[in-house]
Amino acid sequence: MYETVADHESAMRAAREAAGRAYAPYSGFNVGAALVTGGGALYAGCNVENASYGLSMCAERNAVGAMVLAGGDRRIEFVAVHSPQVAPCLPCGACRQVLKEFGCRAVVVEERGRLRAYSFEEILPNAFGPEDLRS
Ligand code: THU
């Protein structure tokens, strides 16, 4: 899924649409994520579970995979995350680390009926990242 957008509302719409395609027969917990790059491209992902539970993949990391595969700008401005089961739906720890890899600046979630943007530093403070390997 790929289109050009810039704002939080459009990205959240894409995240909701992606959540509708989740494959989550084991947890029953659907998640959709839509990230926007510095260049304004949008990539979405949903969670995809597996009968071998540990192989399940989160929506956010599937969106990152779509971005990398597309071969364009890989700087993530923000990611919007939606689950019909819970709000706010914030990324798990593993996804936070993967988003950090591509410089994600903010995470947008639904909170008390509206959108809220958390700065990345708020949700993954003092993180280890690619710059630490270059010092
Ligand atoms: N899940 C995500 O897709 N993203 C998150 O950040 C939290 C968890 C998925 C993984 C699993 O398929 C289901 O939600 C329940 O953990």
Side-chain angles (χ1 to χ4, degrees):
M1 201 185 304
Y2 181 149
E3 63 183 284
T4 297
V5 294
D7 63 287
H8 292 177
E9 283 290 351
S10 324
M12 188 56 81
R13 273 197 297 277
R16 290 187 194 115
E17 192 183 326
R21 299 190 201 156
Y23 176 71
Y26 305 107
S27 71
F29 191 85
N30 293 16
V31 183
L35 63 84
V36 175
T37 68
L42 181 148
Y43 301 96
C46 61
N47 55 330
V48 179
E49 298 186 345
N50 193 278
S52 176
Y53 297 165
L55 300 183
S56 298
M57 184 52 69
C58 289
E60 296 89 329
R61 276 178 283 162
N62 279 332
V64 168
M67 174 191 75
V68 172
L69 178 64
D73 180 12
R74 293 171 169 177
R75 284 173 305 117
I76 302 174
E77 274 301 314
F78 69 91
V79 60
V81 186
H82 168 80
S83 171
Q85 274 79 38
V86 71
C89 183
L90 283 149
C92 77
C95 288
R96 292 177 197 207
Q97 184 66 37
V98 171
L99 291 164
K100 161 80 184 168
E101 183 73 19
F102 297 98
C104 184
R105 292 157 59 89
V107 176
V108 176
V109 293
E110 294 148 318
E111 205 169 292
R112 295 188 209 94
R114 49 190 302 193
L115 299 190
R116 173 167 176 189
Y118 285 86
S119 76
F120 208 76
E121 181 62 25
E122 274 180 284
I123 70 155
L124 192 65
N126 306 309
F128 180 82
E131 57 283 356
D132 295 304
L133 294 176
R134 286 183 212 118
S135 54

